[in-house]
Amino acid sequence: MERVKARPEPEIIEDVHHPLQPYFREERLPHIWCSGCGLGTTMSCFAYALRELDIGVDDVSIVSGIGCTGRLAGYMRSDSYHTTHGRAIPFASGLRVALSLVKPGHKVVVFSGDGDLFAIGGNHFIHAARRNLDINVVCVNNFNYGMTGGQIGPTTPQGARGTTAPFGTFENPFNLPYLAASCGAPYVARWTTLHARRLKDAMVEALSRKGFSFVEVISPCPINYGRRNQMPTGLEELKYYAENSVIRNFSDPKDADISVKGEIVVGTFVDEEKPDYFSVYHKFIEQINDEK
């Protein structure tokens, strides 16, 4: 019988580092996300965006809520805050206001999921966008509550199945880009995790803008949403994105609804300049002082 050869010992190359190494807490890796999940891709895109803009870990703070996406804050080597359910945006708003007094150029980024941001946290989202607070919100939308067992949520497409809708949901979901745009957000984009480079570019654009920005990331959840909707692997969900995504930059976001097995409209929907919350505030104070 032929003996199986032992595997060769890997060669250790000293003093070679991954370009994103400064952005991650290596002691907490590998991450806990499921195989096929898009959160690792999303986190890498964000780190590449920071690197492209030369934003160091001391110049950005990450705020997240509860859920699978909420874990991202703990992996980034920056000041990060894992807040209570649905309260990432109010926490980030307070942080933004405080930092405006001492570090006005500091970036505040919210990372959370569709359930955290648009179910229990929906009220906070619409008012942060209305006020045009200078924060960046990244929503990783996997169409269900993935961490707690696959229940349907506010973005689950009509007809899709979940643990709380075994025959399919009859509810109408939110169209997130349309919601953000209707609330006044001056930057709104949507990409899937398949569009990694375009997603990174959108994050670069969002971080470069003044005021409220919103980036929706359509992401696989093969363990829960995928396997209940005939896409039991991350690869199958990515194949669906490849076959059904349609890039329509600056199209009307009201036409960006997502249906089961239907097309996914992606691109940048809104990119305009508006005075942010603090610009309006300081101008208002000046007007009051001039009238005294």
Side-chain angles (χ1 to χ4, degrees):
M1 175 182 273
E2 186 180 349
R3 297 183 63 184
V4 178
K5 293 182 180 179
R7 291 183 179 180
E9 290 292 324
E11 180 183 359
I12 305 299
I13 303 175
E14 302 290 345
D15 300 322
V16 176
H17 304 284
H18 192 280
L20 298 184
Q21 186 175 348
Y23 293 98
F24 298 132
R25 299 180 192 271
E26 292 180 273
E27 67 277 9
R28 301 203 65 184
L29 297 175
H31 59 66
I32 66 168
W33 295 314
C34 302
S35 176
C37 173
L39 280 164
T41 300
T42 304
M43 185 169 68
S44 293
C45 289
F46 179 63
Y48 274 115
L50 294 177
R51 182 170 177 261
E52 183 171 321
L53 292 170
D54 197 25
I55 298 175
V57 293
D58 294 329
D59 300 315
V60 60
S61 295
I62 315 296
V63 183
S64 66
I66 298 300
C68 298
T69 309
R71 291 287 189 172
L72 187 144
Y75 294 126
M76 300 297 295
R77 195 185 295 276
S78 60
D79 287 332
S80 53
Y81 306 88
H82 194 182
T83 66
T84 52
H85 197 196
R87 308 299 180 237
I89 287 180
F91 194 103
S93 299
L95 182 61
R96 174 71 275 164
V97 170
L99 286 168
S100 69
L101 302 174
V102 292
K103 293 184 71 176
H106 192 92
K107 301 294 182 182
V108 177
V109 182
V110 173
F111 262 97
S112 208
D114 47 289
D116 184 82
L117 284 172
F118 291 98
I120 190 172
N123 189 52
H124 302 303
F125 179 89
I126 62 176
H127 291 294
R130 173 183 66 82
R131 292 176 175 130
N132 199 20
L133 278 166
D134 191 17
I135 60 177
N136 312 108
V137 177
V138 179
C139 174
V140 181
N141 181 7
N142 58 18
F143 305 123
N144 76 141
Y145 289 97
M147 190 178 74
T148 55
Q151 299 90 340
I152 63 167
T155 63
T156 307
Q158 194 174 51
R161 298 186 178 191
T163 54
T164 50
F167 301 105
T169 177
F170 60 87
E171 297 179 5
N172 290 312
F174 276 136
N175 172 344
L176 297 186
Y178 187 33
L179 177 62
S182 65
C183 293
Y187 184 87
V188 180
R190 172 203 278 162
W191 295 100
T192 78
T193 53
L194 179 72
H195 302 86
R197 291 189 179 182
R198 289 185 171 97
L199 175 57
K200 182 269 295 180
D201 290 342
M203 291 179 175
V204 168
E205 291 176 350
L207 288 164
S208 302
R209 303 299 189 267
K210 197 74 173 172
F212 188 91
S213 66
F214 175 67
V215 178
E216 179 186 12
V217 185
I218 305 297
S219 174
C221 178
I223 297 300
N224 280 308
Y225 181 81
R227 69 187 177 94
R228 291 184 173 88
N229 291 280
Q230 291 78 52
M231 293 178 290
T233 69
L235 186 60
E236 287 177 277
E237 290 200 57
L238 291 176
K239 183 180 179 182
Y240 167 65
Y241 299 162
E243 294 174 349
N244 293 277
S245 294
V246 181
I247 300 174
R248 293 186 186 139
N249 287 314
F250 301 106
S251 62
D252 193 330
K254 75 177 181 181
D255 299 322
D257 286 315
I258 295 177
S259 60
V260 174
K261 300 297 183 180
E263 70 176 17
I264 302 174
V265 179
V266 295
T268 300
F269 297 98
V270 181
D271 187 2
E272 58 188 23
E273 289 188 13
K274 281 185 178 181
D276 72 302
Y277 180 84
F278 299 108
S279 299
V280 175
Y281 170 76
H282 291 305
K283 185 177 180 180
F284 182 69
I285 295 300
E286 290 176 2
Q287 290 174 344
I288 292 176
N289 290 334
D290 290 341
E291 293 171 0
K292 288 182 179 179

